[in-house]
């Protein structure tokens, strides 16, 4: 796979973790049909999925690995920069955090120790039917299997880059360790957005291939809408920066830019999230060769806050029903914290679109609009949510 990254971007060091081929993109035939059966007529949208959960060989593959592809060179450069190579990775997350599993997993790859702080106040513990199990199964268990030192804590994380962990890091240093800190979701890391900026080029590469193989039925021969979860934010922000760069390099006067929609998964205010995504996408944009301030503007940020449910990681019945819908139609397994909320958002968009004849044509006046759902992983949290259960049983 040769992505033809522009030279400034291509020169940024990357430590490949994913396979050397793109993560698969495939149609969701039954979900596409389901969306249409709610609308008026014919096939107006085609729903596709990009399987970021199948992008590579490591444990519980998911979106954080792409971020680490650009962070690992920084970890490896510490020795040269500061004289001492890190001895351990330290990170934090909610109780059933997927991110921490992916950190624990790269600690294996790099032969480093790993400390994982899991915040009991963040995620579904409060409302879990079986609290004992919630702090033992799923990602908690996987972290332990991967050799991480798991510390369940009642402390709150501040979302700050160093936040409450400085005393712990000092303690570790006093013990002779050299800790390397990775913030929750790795989004605040200066290099955290690059993985998904690169993914934008991968998606375009796949669009070209799909055109050659006549996989798009009709329509625009590209993914006009892209739906992705917005948690800590650099997955969405990276995609925005990457597509911005791509569309600047290959302008297409006939089509509006692809629209990338971030579906919020927590109750943080939408305006604070918009600010954060703008900041993170400019941070990535600057590194890959955009003029951050002028190339990326608030108009590029599209967030949907209608599908959060109760709160981050707390199960709600609509989200549970969406997990069930995807499994019972296209045998697609989602998680209740992130991907099911995104799927709900995409299905809602598709139904609205098919229900109104006026908006059923895309910008080119062609009949079919292609939407792409980014499956960011997270299935390994599902068994902690024992209450996701077919409603009919
Ligand atoms: C972390 C995560 C996300 C959110 O990605 P951010 O870059 O933090 O916004 C989405 N889906 C899954 C499964 C995740 O683990």
């Amino acid at each position: 796979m040769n992505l033809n990254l522009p030279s400034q971007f291509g020169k940024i060091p990357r430590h490949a973790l994913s396979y050397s081929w793109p993560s698969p993109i495939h149609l969701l035939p039954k979900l596409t049909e389901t969306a249409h059966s709610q609308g008026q007529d014919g096939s107006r949208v085609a729903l596709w999925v990009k399987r970021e959960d199948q992008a590579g060989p490591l444990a519980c593959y998911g979106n954080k690995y792409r971020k680490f592809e650009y962070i690992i060179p920084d970890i490896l450069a510490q020795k040269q920069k500061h004289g001492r190579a890190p001895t351990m990775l330290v990170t934090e997350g909610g109780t059933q955090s997927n991110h921490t599993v992916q950190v624990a997993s790269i600690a294996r790859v790099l032969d480093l120790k790993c400390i994982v702080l899991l915040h009991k106040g963040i995620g579904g513990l409060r409302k879990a039917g079986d609290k004992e199990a919630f702090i033992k199964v799923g990602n908690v268990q996987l972290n332990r299997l991967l050799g991480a030192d798991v510390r369940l804590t009642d402390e709150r994380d501040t979302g700050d880059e160093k936040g409450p962990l400085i005393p712990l890091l000092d303690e570790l240093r006093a013990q002779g360790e050299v800790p390397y800190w990775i913030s929750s979701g790795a989004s605040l890391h200066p290099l955290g957005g690059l993985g998904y900026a690169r993914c934008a080029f991968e998606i375009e590469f796949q669009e070209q291939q799909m055109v050659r193989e006549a996989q798009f039925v009709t329509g625009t021969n590209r993914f006009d809408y892209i739906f992705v979860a917005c948690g800590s934010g650099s997955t969405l922000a990276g995609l925005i920066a990457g597509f911005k760069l791509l569309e600047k390099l290959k302008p297409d006067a006939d089509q509006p830019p692809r629209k990338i929609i971030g579906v919020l998964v927590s109750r943080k205010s939408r305006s604070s999230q918009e600010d954060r995504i703008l900041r993170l996408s400019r941070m990535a944009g600057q590194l890959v060769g955009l003029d951050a301030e002028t190339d990326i503007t608030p108009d590029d940020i599209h967030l949907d806050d209608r599908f959060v449910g109760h709160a981050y990681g707390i199960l709600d019945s609509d989200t549970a029903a969406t997990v069930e819908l995807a499994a019972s139609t296209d045998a697609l397994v989602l998680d209740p914290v992130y991907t099911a909320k995104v799927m709900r958002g995409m299905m809602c968009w598709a139904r609205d679109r098919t229900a109104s004849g006026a908006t059923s044509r895309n910008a080119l006046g062609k009949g079919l609009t292609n939407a792409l759902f980014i499956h960011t992983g997270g299935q390994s949290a599902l068994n902690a949510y024992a209450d996701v259960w077919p409603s009919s049983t």
Side-chain angles (χ1 to χ4, degrees):
M1 163 176 63
N2 180 4
L3 294 185
N4 280 322
L5 296 179
S7 69
Q8 180 175 338
F9 192 176
K11 280 192 205 125
I12 303 175
R14 169 175 171 261
H15 180 105
L17 297 170
S18 50
Y19 300 126
S20 58
W21 53 89
S23 71
I25 290 179
H26 62 83
L27 192 66
L28 292 166
K30 291 189 175 167
L31 286 166
T32 297
E33 219 173 274
T34 303
H36 289 123
S37 67
Q38 314 278 324
Q40 279 173 350
D41 61 313
S43 53
R44 298 298 188 195
V45 299
L47 304 180
W48 304 80
V49 57
K50 181 163 174 69
R51 302 300 299 267
E52 290 292 279
D53 60 323
Q54 296 178 2
L58 298 174
C60 306
Y61 222 84
N63 62 336
K64 306 307 180 300
Y65 286 114
R66 274 199 200 263
K67 308 184 190 194
F68 300 148
E69 293 191 327
Y70 284 97
I71 292 175
I72 287 175
D74 185 60
I75 298 173
L76 299 177
Q78 293 300 304
K79 182 156 194 235
Q80 212 161 25
K81 276 198 213 158
H82 303 295
R84 298 188 68 194
T87 58
M88 57 162 53
L89 305 179
V90 185
T91 194
E92 67 178 352
T95 320
Q96 282 292 335
S97 157
N98 306 306
H99 159 81
T100 55
V101 171
Q102 293 167 70
V103 173
S105 174
I106 59 163
R108 297 292 97 232
V109 172
L110 301 175
D111 278 326
L112 296 173
K113 291 181 247 184
C114 182
I115 295 182
V116 162
L117 292 168
L118 298 178
H119 296 275
K120 290 198 260 179
I122 302 172
L125 180 59
R126 212 156 21 99
K127 298 275 180 189
D130 185 343
K131 295 189 172 49
E132 269 308 274
F134 196 86
I135 55 171
K136 237 159 75 183
V137 303
N139 286 326
V140 183
Q141 179 185 35
L142 288 163
N143 268 314
R144 293 199 167 114
L145 277 173
L146 290 162
D149 171 355
V150 174
R151 303 184 183 180
L152 283 151
T153 163
D154 289 311
E155 275 172 46
R156 286 189 56 78
D157 88 327
T158 62
D160 190 60
E161 177 68 342
K162 302 238 163 48
L165 290 173
I166 292 170
L168 171 64
L169 296 182
D170 285 342
E171 224 174 275
L172 292 167
R173 286 187 197 103
Q175 293 163 14
E177 300 288 355
V178 184
Y180 185 95
W181 166 243
I182 300 176
S183 65
S184 173
S187 286
L188 296 174
H189 194 290
L191 304 168
L194 294 174
Y196 274 87
R198 185 174 187 278
C199 184
F201 283 77
E202 184 175 303
I203 292 169
E204 199 254 0
F205 175 89
Q206 287 172 288
E207 286 173 345
Q208 306 284 328
Q209 195 171 22
M210 288 171 67
V211 169
R212 283 196 299 278
E213 293 170 4
Q215 289 193 49
F216 288 118
V217 185
T218 65
T220 50
N221 283 336
R222 64 163 200 184
F223 299 107
D224 311 289
Y225 290 80
I226 296 172
F227 291 85
V228 66
C230 179
S232 67
S234 63
T235 303
L236 171 63
L239 285 171
I240 291 170
F243 276 115
K244 237 346 182 225
L245 179 61
L246 198 83
E247 284 162 2
K248 192 175 177 181
L249 295 169
K250 292 191 189 175
D252 181 347
D254 294 333
Q255 306 197 69
R258 295 170 187 78
K259 192 162 176 180
I260 305 151
I261 297 166
V263 176
L264 294 179
V265 298
S266 80
R267 285 252 155 247
K268 287 180 198 131
S269 89
R270 181 172 158 160
S271 69
S272 74
Q273 294 286 75
E274 280 166 350
D275 292 347
R276 182 182 169 100
I277 298 305
L278 184 61
R279 189 159 48 82
L280 295 178
S281 48
R282 283 176 167 168
M283 189 162 85
Q286 192 75 45
L287 290 171
V288 299
L290 288 170
D291 181 342
E293 295 296 314
T294 54
D295 283 332
I296 303 177
T297 72
D299 291 343
D300 297 314
I301 316 295
H302 307 284
L303 296 181
D304 196 332
D305 60 3
R306 292 175 294 164
F307 308 103
V308 174
H310 303 306
Y312 173 77
I314 305 279
L315 189 64
D316 65 89
S317 56
D318 291 322
T319 302
T322 308
V323 174
E324 192 189 334
L325 173 71
S328 63
T329 51
D330 285 314
L332 180 72
V333 180
L334 303 177
D335 80 289
V337 183
Y338 295 99
T339 50
K341 292 179 180 178
V342 182
M343 179 58 79
R344 222 187 124 207
M346 183 169 81
M347 292 303 284
C348 179
W349 165 87
R351 283 166 185 166
D352 287 353
R353 213 178 161 82
T354 53
S356 90
T359 57
S360 65
R361 299 197 156 252
N362 62 35
L364 283 181
K366 293 183 183 169
L368 193 91
T369 299
N370 292 296
L372 182 67
F373 168 81
I374 309 288
H375 195 321
T376 42
Q379 295 99 327
S380 52
L382 185 57
N383 69 23
Y385 289 85
D387 306 320
V388 177
W389 194 252
S391 44
S392 51
T393 55

